[in-house]
């Protein structure tokens, strides 16, 4: 089924009445997806129904049983959903389970061989924040949450129909001691707290020390290791919790912990170790020289046993499948195929790289996948290696064999928008008026074109022509790679109330899109082939303002998969490939990626965004200048 689009700003009656209205023509496949919400009532559209994007807000909510998740899609609410009308054919199909562990929750989905999510469930997980920039979790808590959601999603099928299971998770550091028992990573000494979460920034000094050595391996991480990666965190443990460090039996990336826990087989995914652990993929080995230079020589012992000596590409079967213990806990058969894992964002990229707007759109090199939730990861793959300063990679075979991965990112995205919202004086008033947080973003998205009309502006983007934001309140991951950068806003006035919040919110959404453009242009400077399409999944993909701002500011079409849960689809595709249902991981991605809807960039805002992007880059220069001034004064 081919998706058809009408560019924003076209001369239609609807777009003439509301500034910035986005027009789409939805395929009949999209309408069929809407009729399978399981909510009891579903909207109906003609095959080529033309609707404004303001309406899409309500339509996308229908996909989630009328539950709209906030911008970072990471609340503490657990929910369970299914597609209506699926039970009649469940007894005949092969299924795959995808498990995704995000920052705030564990999720599972039952996915059919075409990539449609039949059942899904979410369970909140615990996070401890003992001091600023410290974030800790529990591997036991996460596993218990996984068991709960997997049991739920398979409850309607015969477990023999589940042919494979794939895991993805955040790139968080899991520490285990003797007999696989949790070892504390916390100054509190509590053993349960044995995970340093990906967004933990405790290892700043250790990161600087490793980067100062300028080891040759750093060329694969944009020239410097990030404090969100695992080697600096291990060095922090050695310096600050030496008893924990000396007692390490295994140090896992969270996705690899999950496959070990499921199979009792210690293998590591090439995705995790090459992207977050400085594994040398070109030599297919750990680098003893690098680890010694990082003052971590102990990790070279016993053929790097603590780090894992068996490294496999994603989509390969692990051991003999589910162990008896794990099978009992998950409600599946012993021996069910378990795939090597992916990092959560990489699973989303795997699902989206196979998504297309029409049957001829198969060149994955022209796609950038944005996995946008609490943070945003910007994933793209090429057949030839692209070394770009400030962008991680090129990582060989990290997602799909035969391709090199480049990975950019923003440390906070949805979390940033929630922060902007909840620290504004109008937040309590707006929350009370709307009966909670659930519909605040829809309300603001609806308010913005009304404000533009009231002020006589032709485009809602013009509301911020004098308001400019540098969005790195938690440091810059890409392409500047400076965790000490902070946010800037200019153009503040005396406006108060909800109107003020709406404009500030728009300015921050635009700033995130300028950050994406900054990453893209940096890749172009390092000779990367041109992008043709942006693809979106994650909580922010459900926010039409965020997606349209990216299309407009990057001047690229935005493709939104018909199946919204592409991270879960990517995890399930791992299981499908490992089980041999498809002959390769790339084939699984193409078969399960499905189709999507294209949003075209608005040609009427190109000049405005070109000017604002110049200001965006100036804000970076100015922040550096201000630091130089203050450091000179302090000296």
């Amino acid at each position: 089924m081919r998706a058809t689009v009408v560019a924003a700003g076209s001369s239609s009656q609807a777009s003439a009445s509301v500034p910035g209205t986005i027009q789409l023509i939805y395929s009949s496949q999209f309408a069929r997806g809407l009729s399978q919400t399981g909510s009891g009532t579903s909207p109906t559209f003609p095959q080529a129904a033309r609707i404004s994007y303001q309406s899409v807000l309500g339509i996308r909510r229908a996909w989630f049983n009328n539950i709209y998740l906030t911008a970072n899609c990471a609340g503490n609410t657990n929910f369970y959903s299914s597609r209506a009308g699926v039970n009649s054919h469940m007894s005949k199909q092969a299924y795959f389970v995808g498990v995704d562990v995000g920052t705030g929750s564990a999720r599972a989905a039952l996915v059919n061989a075409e990539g449609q999510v039949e059942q899904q469930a979410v369970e909140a997980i615990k996070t401890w924040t003992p001091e600023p920039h410290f974030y800790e979790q529990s591997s036991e808590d996460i596993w218990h949450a996984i068991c709960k959601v997997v049991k739920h999603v398979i409850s309607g099928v015969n477990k023999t129909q589940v042919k494979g299971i794939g895991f993805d998770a955040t790139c968080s550091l899991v520490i285990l001691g003797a007999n696989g028992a949790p070892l504390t990573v916390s100054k509190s000494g509590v053993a349960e707290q044995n995970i340093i979460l990906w967004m933990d920034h405790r290892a700043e000094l250790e990161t600087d020390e490793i980067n100062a050595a300028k080891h040759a391996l750093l060329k694969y991480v944009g020239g410097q290791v990030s404090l969100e990666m695992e080697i600096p965190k291990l060095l922090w443990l050695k310096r600050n919790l030496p008893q924990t460090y000396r007692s390490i039996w295994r140090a896992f990336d969270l996705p690899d912990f999950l496959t070990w826990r499921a199979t009792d087989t210690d293998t590591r995914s090439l995705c995790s170790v090459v992207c977050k652990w400085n594994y040398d993929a070109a030599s297919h080995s750990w680098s003893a020289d690098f680890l010694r230079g990082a003052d971590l020589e102990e990790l070279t012992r016993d053929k790097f046993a603590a780090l894992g000596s068996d490294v496999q590409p994603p989509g390969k079967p692990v051991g003999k499948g589910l162990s008896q213990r794990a099978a009992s806990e998950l409600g599946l058969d012993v021996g069910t195929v378990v795939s090597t894992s992916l990092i959560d964002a990489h699973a989303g990229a795997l699902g989206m790289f196979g998504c297309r707007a029409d049957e001829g759109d198969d060149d994955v090199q022209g796609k950038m996948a944005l996995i946008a939730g609490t943070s945003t990861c910007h994933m793209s793959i090429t057949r030839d290696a692209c070394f770009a300063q400030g962008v991680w990679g090129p990582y060989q075979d990290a997602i799909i064999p035969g391709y090199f991965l480049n990975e950019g990112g923003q440390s906070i995205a949805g979390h940033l928008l929630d922060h902007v919202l909840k620290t504004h004086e109008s937040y309590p008033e707006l929350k009370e008026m709307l009966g909670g947080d659930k519909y605040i973003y829809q309300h603001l998205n609806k308010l913005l074109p009304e404000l533009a009309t009231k002020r006589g502006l032709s485009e809602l983007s013009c509301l911020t022509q004098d308001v400019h934001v540098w969005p790195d309140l938690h440091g810059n991951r890409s392409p500047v790679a400076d965790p000490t950068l902070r946010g800037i806003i200019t153009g503040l006035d005396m406006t108060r109330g909800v109107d003020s919040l709406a404009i500030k919110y728009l300015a921050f959404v635009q700033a995130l899109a300028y950050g994406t453009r900054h990453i893209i242009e940096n890749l172009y400077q390092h000779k990367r082939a041109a992008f043709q399409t942006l693809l979106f999944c994650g909580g922010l993909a459900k926010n039409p303002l965020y997606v349209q701002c990216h299309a407009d500011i990057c001047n690229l079409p935005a493709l939104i998969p018909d199946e919204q849960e592409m991270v879960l689809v990517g995890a399930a595709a791992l299981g499908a490939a490992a089980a041999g249902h498809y002959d390769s991981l790339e084939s699984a991605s193409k078969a399960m990626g499905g189709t999507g809807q294209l949003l075209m960039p608005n040609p009427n805002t190109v000049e405005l965004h070109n000017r604002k992007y110049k200001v965006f880059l100036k804000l970076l220069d100015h922040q550096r200048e201000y630091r130089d001034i203050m450091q000179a004064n302090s000296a």
Side-chain angles (χ1 to χ4, degrees), residues 126-153:
K126 301 176 187 175
T127 298
W128 291 266
T129 309
E131 56 186 278
H133 309 302
F134 281 54
Y135 299 91
E136 298 162 0
Q137 292 184 332
S138 161
S139 61
E140 291 187 346
D141 174 61
I142 288 171
W143 183 254
H144 291 152
I146 288 171
C147 292
K148 187 172 182 179
V149 293
V150 170
K151 282 183 175 179
H152 179 84
V153 300

Side-chain angles (χ1 to χ4, degrees), residues 169-173 198 228 230 233 253-255 276 343-344:
T170 64
C171 47
S172 301
L173 176 64
W198 67 270
E228 294 176 2
E230 313 301 17
K233 291 171 181 174
D253 215 52
L254 180 54
K276 306 301 177 186
I343 299 167
D344 56 347

Side-chain angles (χ1 to χ4, degrees), residues 247-269:
S247 302
I248 291 175
W249 170 68
R250 292 292 185 267
F252 283 107
D253 215 52
L254 180 54
D256 291 333
F257 164 80
L258 299 179
T259 57
W260 169 79
R261 183 63 177 78
T263 64
D264 291 332
T265 300
D266 182 8
T267 63
R268 308 302 170 99
S269 171

